Amino acid sequence: MAHMALYRAWRPQTFKDMVGQQHIVQTLQNAIREDRLSHAYLFSGPRGTGKTTAAKVLAKAVNCERGPATEPCNECDACRRITSGAVMDVVEIDAASNRGVEEIRDIRDKVKYAPTEVRRKVYIIDEVHMLTTEAFNALLKTLEEPPAHVMFILATTESHRLPATIISRCQRFEFRRVPLSEQVERLREICGEEGISADPDALGYIARLSDGGMRDAVSLLDQIASFTGGEVTLQGAVDATGGLPADQFVRMAVAIRDQDAAAALREIDEMMQAGKSADKCLEQLMHYFRDMLLAQLAPDAEGATGRAGDPAALAQAASGFSRERLFAVIDHLNRYQTEMKYAAHPQTMFEIALLKLCSDGGATAVGGQAAASAAPAAAAGADLQRLQQQVAGLERKLAELARTGVAAGAAGNGGPGDAGGSRVGGAGSARSSTGTAAGAGGAAKAPLRARVKVDPFLAAKGSPDALQALGKWPQAMQRVKEERVTVHAWLVDGEPVSYADDTVLVAFRNSIHRETTEKPANRQVIEGVLSAVLGRPTQLATLLQKEWQEALASADNSGAGREEPEVLQLVPDDGTGSQSEPLIDEALRLFGEELVVIRED
């Protein structure tokens, strides 16, 4: 047989012919045996692992004249015609070229008709992730409630691009990359049947190049067998696939080890003269150093040998490098491989990568890694020291406030006055923040966070004014996004929960989002938008969702007859809207922040 059609000749025709997907085969066979077939399947996984093949085998199994059977006979008229694609009721569609809504509508109109040639209609949609949004919407209803005589099989390499509504209506099967040992065994079987002489090292090299895809492995074997005239050797496989000879890898590694820039440039020139591409050469060189590292760290591991062959030669080459330097070289080559994708002159980038390795031996990469690992530790130490200083400062303030008789709750957010959720750290009004700062007796240099009582928001929750104000929140969010998208990104974590006294209370799931939203510049943007949307000056107050839930639970448990503590209310004495700060200071000193409410009438 000519070698030009190996894959077509060896394409699986039954479930038992499929390699590396036993978990899927067993599940489908049990479903057929127990008559529990689904109306829709989703086959996802890497290319060349048998998704479309499994779909055709399943179509034959359910429509076999001797079945439904766990294995199609491939002898009856239905099986043979489905294999050749001559059955109108088994339709294979390439969604990459038929991705529009009209093609899917055509399917939707035809599924209602009963099959005319076989037992069950089967629609195989390959590369289904290429369908448009409109096509998915047209397919959705049909997938949800198809007729009993119809089966859909969707195949894709990128299941993450499918809408969740489509995935939820299918039984999903994840096809795996075929293990190296099973690929080599299958290739050896094919070579035996086809009369091809193949070295085990060459078959292993082909299997590694295929990256777990059995289809690619058979195609490579076909290509190499044609190139070598039926004698598949490792050297012939390397030449046919455009790889680099093992001795060239060794010479390149020696040049890097000895920091011989001239030798490295000669090797690069030889590669380019042979027609190799710079990016592929860099990729293969990185794999070679990876194999050297494995030869050092895991010499006895199964499958540890890489694409370049002899494990003994790898171990000998690796003996000239330390583990740290091998790690550094791999990291260095990987970074340059990423940069090479966007380079106008890839060969120049390849040369620079090797010259840098030859000039400093990868010390830069090692130093960069050490610096990167040391930076988090230094940052953590600085944060710890700063926190310790803040705690010491708070302790001094509490001691001073205790001596002056001011309530401990005025000293910070963590005092006893916070218990029960009656007050939350938020952005209250500027009026409260002025009084709070004054209540600290002037000892605190940094301004304290303004605080606001939750009780007014609990009382106003569900009122007409609150519902009207909160109903305009989506409009406010859109305005914030238009004005400053970064502020919108932080604010989207919050949820408006109440509105009272011209203040919108927003509950956040994450404390980081809350703290960033409260920054003066961000708060100014949000309050400006709220004032514009609601038509009156409006302020923002924030808290965490768990604090709001605790406040709601506390209000429910206490009942409507809960007595409010007596408070001292201070009003302006001159009618101009400005408050007498000395009077406020004295009130806070005598009664404490918990019992003082500053109110403007």
Side-chain angles (χ1 to χ4, degrees):
M1 179 187 296
H3 299 316
M4 295 303 293
L6 273 185
Y7 177 70
R8 191 182 307 117
W10 285 89
R11 186 171 187 171
Q13 300 299 325
T14 62
F15 284 124
K16 67 180 180 181
D17 294 335
M18 297 189 62
V19 180
Q21 313 298 339
Q22 287 77 12
H23 62 297
I24 296 175
V25 168
Q26 181 178 353
T27 305
L28 292 176
Q29 287 182 329
N30 289 341
I32 296 172
R33 186 182 298 110
E34 299 171 10
D35 193 21
R36 300 183 64 177
L37 287 168
S38 174
H39 63 280
Y41 291 95
L42 174 60
F43 292 169
S44 60
R47 58 184 176 83
T49 52
K51 301 181 293 296
T52 308
T53 297
K56 290 184 176 180
V57 173
L58 179 60
K60 288 191 291 185
V62 299
N63 288 310
C64 181
E65 293 178 0
R66 304 177 185 177
T70 56
E71 290 285 6
C73 68
N74 289 316
E75 297 177 356
C76 65
D77 183 63
C79 286
R80 285 188 283 105
R81 294 182 64 215
I82 291 175
T83 301
S84 62
V87 176
M88 295 179 60
D89 295 319
V90 178
V91 183
E92 183 177 357
I93 301 171
D94 177 21
S97 54
N98 299 276
R99 59 194 305 263
V101 66
E102 294 301 328
E103 289 84 353
I104 302 303
R105 284 175 178 168
D106 184 60
I107 294 175
R108 188 182 62 186
D109 294 339
K110 291 180 179 178
V111 294
K112 65 182 71 172
Y113 302 113
T116 58
E117 300 180 80
V118 290
R119 187 180 299 110
R120 197 164 188 172
K121 274 190 174 182
V122 180
Y123 288 92
I124 302 172
I125 305 179
D126 201 8
E127 301 297 337
V128 68
H129 64 270
M130 296 294 292
L131 290 179
T132 63
T133 302
E134 293 77 9
F136 276 126
N137 292 334
L139 182 63
L140 188 60
K141 189 64 177 178
T142 305
L143 277 183
E144 187 175 15
E145 297 176 359
H149 58 263
V150 175
M151 175 188 293
F152 284 92
I153 305 176
L154 314 181
T156 178
T157 56
E158 302 180 40
S159 58
H160 60 277
R161 294 177 56 181
L162 269 65
T165 50
I166 294 291
I167 297 176
S168 65
R169 287 164 172 80
C170 304
Q171 279 193 16
R172 181 174 178 178
F173 290 90
E174 190 70 31
F175 283 69
R176 307 168 182 168
R177 286 184 170 86
V178 182
L180 186 68
S181 57
E182 295 187 31
Q183 278 188 302
V184 171
E185 183 60 33
R186 181 67 166 173
L187 293 176
R188 184 181 295 112
E189 178 185 349
I190 294 174
C191 289
E193 291 290 333
E194 296 293 332
I196 301 173
S197 174
D199 294 341
D201 290 343
L203 296 181
Y205 176 81
I206 293 171
R208 290 184 183 90
L209 282 184
S210 67
D211 196 23
M214 196 66 230
R215 179 182 64 205
D216 292 351
V218 178
S219 298
L220 282 172
L221 177 63
D222 192 356
Q223 174 187 345
I224 296 167
S226 300
F227 176 76
T228 59
E231 297 288 336
V232 179
T233 62
L234 178 59
Q235 186 60 46
V238 170
D239 293 340
T241 56
L244 298 177
D247 59 342
Q248 196 162 18
F249 282 118
V250 174
R251 294 196 300 270
M252 188 72 74
V254 169
I256 294 173
R257 183 195 64 192
D258 299 339
Q259 299 186 22
D260 188 349
L265 289 176
R266 284 196 300 270
E267 294 300 329
I268 294 176
D269 185 65
E270 184 178 338
M271 294 174 188
M272 298 302 106
Q273 291 295 333
K276 311 296 183 184
S277 62
D279 56 340
K280 290 298 181 183
C281 290
L282 186 87
E283 178 185 358
Q284 293 180 50
L285 184 62
M286 184 173 65
H287 279 290
Y288 183 74
F289 275 95
R290 168 259 187 195
D291 297 336
M292 291 171 61
L293 182 64
L294 289 179
Q296 276 196 5
L297 299 179
D300 300 326
E302 182 180 357
T305 55
R307 306 183 181 198
D310 188 7
L314 279 172
Q316 182 177 359
S319 62
F321 292 85
S322 65
R323 296 179 182 181
E324 291 76 14
R325 190 174 178 192
L326 286 175
F327 276 118
V329 169
I330 294 171
D331 180 68
H332 180 79
L333 293 176
N334 180 60
R335 285 189 286 110
Y336 269 90
Q337 184 185 21
T338 304
E339 295 178 10
M340 190 179 292
K341 296 178 182 178
Y342 310 102
H345 302 284
Q347 179 180 343
T348 303
M349 295 296 294
F350 186 27
E351 292 170 347
I352 292 174
L354 292 191
L355 288 175
K356 192 171 182 63
L357 285 175
C358 292
S359 62
D360 60 11
T364 302
V366 174
Q369 290 177 347
S373 61
D383 290 342
L384 179 60
Q385 184 178 4
R386 185 166 56 253
L387 287 174
Q388 290 174 343
Q389 293 174 352
Q390 291 176 353
V391 170
L394 288 174
E395 289 175 348
R396 288 194 301 271
K397 293 176 184 178
L398 286 173
E400 182 178 352
L401 291 171
R403 287 196 303 270
T404 59
V406 181
N413 296 335
D418 290 343
S422 63
R423 293 175 181 267
V424 293
S429 67
R431 304 185 295 271
S432 297
S433 64
T434 302
T436 304
K445 301 298 181 184
L448 299 177
R449 172 182 285 179
R451 307 172 72 182
V452 61
K453 293 190 67 174
V454 177
D455 294 341
F457 294 104
L458 291 173
K461 184 177 182 298
S463 66
D465 288 344
L467 294 176
Q468 181 181 5
L470 298 184
K472 296 184 178 180
W473 182 256
Q475 181 182 349
M477 288 291 291
Q478 182 62 31
R479 292 277 295 273
V480 170
K481 185 176 182 181
E482 294 171 357
E483 187 164 340
R484 190 171 301 175
V485 68
T486 53
V487 178
H488 176 271
W490 293 106
L491 187 59
V492 76
D493 182 70
E495 175 187 358
V497 293
S498 187
Y499 171 82
D501 297 334
D502 293 334
T503 303
V504 176
L505 181 63
V506 179
F508 284 84
R509 293 187 293 271
N510 189 293
S511 60
I512 296 178
H513 293 174
R514 174 193 174 193
E515 293 170 1
T516 306
T517 302
E518 285 185 344
K519 290 183 177 179
N522 297 343
R523 167 182 294 280
Q524 183 178 2
V525 172
I526 297 170
E527 291 183 343
V529 169
L530 289 174
S531 300
V533 171
L534 298 181
R536 53 186 176 274
T538 306
Q539 296 175 338
L540 174 72
T542 66
L543 79 171
L544 294 177
Q545 282 191 356
K546 62 179 181 180
E547 295 173 342
W548 176 248
Q549 296 299 329
E550 290 172 359
L552 288 175
S554 177
D556 293 340
N557 293 335
S558 61
R562 179 172 57 88
E563 295 183 1
E564 290 288 336
E566 295 183 358
V567 297
L568 176 65
Q569 300 182 3
L570 302 179
V571 299
D573 58 354
D574 55 1
T576 62
S578 62
Q579 298 169 341
S580 176
E581 293 188 1
L583 181 60
I584 296 174
D585 297 347
E586 184 65 14
L588 289 171
R589 189 183 69 79
L590 292 175
F591 300 100
E593 184 187 357
E594 296 295 321
L595 298 180
V596 176
V597 173
I598 304 171
R599 180 176 301 167
E600 290 184 4
D601 293 335

